[in-house]
Amino acid sequence: MPSTGPRTLHLNAFLMNAGHHDAAWRHPRTQPEKVTDLRYFQQLARTAERGLLDSVFLADGLALWGNVRHNALGGFEPLTLLSALAAVTEHVGLIATVSTTFNEPFHTARKFASLDHISGGRAGWNIVTSGTVNEARNFGQDEHVEHRLRYDRAREFLEVATKLWDSWEDDAVLLDRERGVYADTDKVREIDHRGEYFGVRGPLNVPRSPQGYPLLVQAGSSEDGKEFAAQYAEAVFTAQQSLADAQAFYKDLKSRLARYHRTEDQLLVLPGIAPVIGSTEAEARALEQELTDLQVPEYGLAQLSGMLGTDLTGLPLDGPLPDLPEVRDINGNKSRFTLVAELARRDGLTLRELIARLGAGRGHRVFAGTPEQVADQLEEWFTQGAADGFNIMPPHLPGALEDFVDHVVPILQRRGLFRTEYTGRTLREHYGLARPANRLATAALAEGRPA
């Protein structure tokens, strides 16, 4: 059931191989040799659970991101990994990224229902539409599907997935050995979906899972992305650089909910933050500089070219950004293009400085300081209308996650801003969100059919 107590933070640990900084794998505090070692990720998940975090999250793409010559890239498929992590944790939520552009609704609904059963109700789906032409080229396409059409497909994809999760009622399984009846087939329904993109008969071949639906997460901040989030998402991972920008995004997104008959507490906004933590501010800034000094400019320039849809190869690192295309002409991640372009223009950054600024967060906010200072930042954004919680992006792993759990979380707890124990069992309960009603059963009742 939704929480009725005082408003408290929600914290998600965004796990990424050796850490979020693009030079993390070169730092002696990291273990890049373990990025395909299950035990390494089990340790990270248990650390997040020890800190009572709401969830852990795995990003994913359907192409090899960046230049593997200069970064510890590639790794596990997220649903496979999270199923293994479910076996060694009891409480922490498990959120996987799956694309609606290069998957099918039946496969996706089945996999998330399975993870939800395996984990006892801790599954979450980060819904993406895929942002790069390299992904399209792994699926027989020379060019990427146009941005608006990707969101049109995503809407129908999600409608089909939710129908499939509703195709079994909660009490459909009878287990009546005496009569030889396993399930009440009046409560297992075909969905008979026929739409523009999908034709799916159903029902799903997995009974309704503990949460009904996985927690639905979204991360796009373009106009299409915000409208999609307002209609469907229950948590939004977003990137803002300043309190004012975060407040504006928060207000804008929450204001869109009413037209979909939703209330503000049904959608949680979690900006990303990459905290570089030291016992003193000087120590934190020194660690931040160590990571910057380990960057490979060639790698950063290629990443920046991808974000901006502009080939920056060969341009002087100590010069400014060249003229950029209009955001309307970007067919990839429009919101990240806008954020990076505005950051460079606002602060007058050279290419080298911009690469350094983006190294730890790829556009998400980076903050270096003591545990108290990090807690102060989180509290300010949380209490000033900018966030319902945070997507914690450790710059290096495992140490930065351990630092956050061991030193920042206790401060937040002392301030009454974060839980001191898990009080729920499912990921929805952690986030204070209701379990969705079965819409097919409701419709059947309304029509006088068996439900």
Side-chain angles (χ1 to χ4, degrees), residues 227-243:
E227 206 61 29
F228 182 89
Q231 187 172 1
Y232 298 109
E234 296 169 301
V236 169
F237 296 153
T238 184
Q240 276 83 43
Q241 288 286 322
S242 69
L243 175 62

Side-chain angles (χ1 to χ4, degrees), residues 226-270:
K226 286 187 286 190
E227 206 61 29
F228 182 89
Q231 187 172 1
Y232 298 109
E234 296 169 301
V236 169
F237 296 153
T238 184
Q240 276 83 43
Q241 288 286 322
S242 69
L243 175 62
D245 287 346
Q247 288 170 324
F249 177 86
Y250 187 95
K251 183 178 180 180
D252 178 16
L253 190 54
K254 298 272 186 171
S255 73
R256 299 173 187 242
L257 293 167
R259 60 174 157 265
Y260 299 106
H261 309 290
R262 304 181 67 197
T263 57
E264 291 194 7
D265 60 354
Q266 291 178 312
L267 175 61
L268 304 172
V269 178
L270 283 74

Side-chain angles (χ1 to χ4, degrees), residues 4-17:
T4 56
R7 180 172 176 259
T8 52
L9 281 162
H10 298 287
L11 297 174
N12 172 77
F14 182 174
L15 306 180
M16 182 172 281
N17 285 3

Side-chain angles (χ1 to χ4, degrees), residues 70-81:
H70 299 302
N71 201 354
L73 303 169
F76 292 121
E77 187 281 318
L79 281 163
T80 306
L81 176 55

Side-chain angles (χ1 to χ4, degrees), residues 79 110 126 163 188 263 269 289 306 388 422 436:
L79 281 163
R110 185 186 190 198
N126 178 45
K163 287 178 183 177
V188 182
T263 57
V269 178
Q289 189 60 51
D388 296 305
Y422 286 111

Side-chain angles (χ1 to χ4, degrees), residues 169 228 314 426:
E169 291 191 36
F228 182 89
T426 70

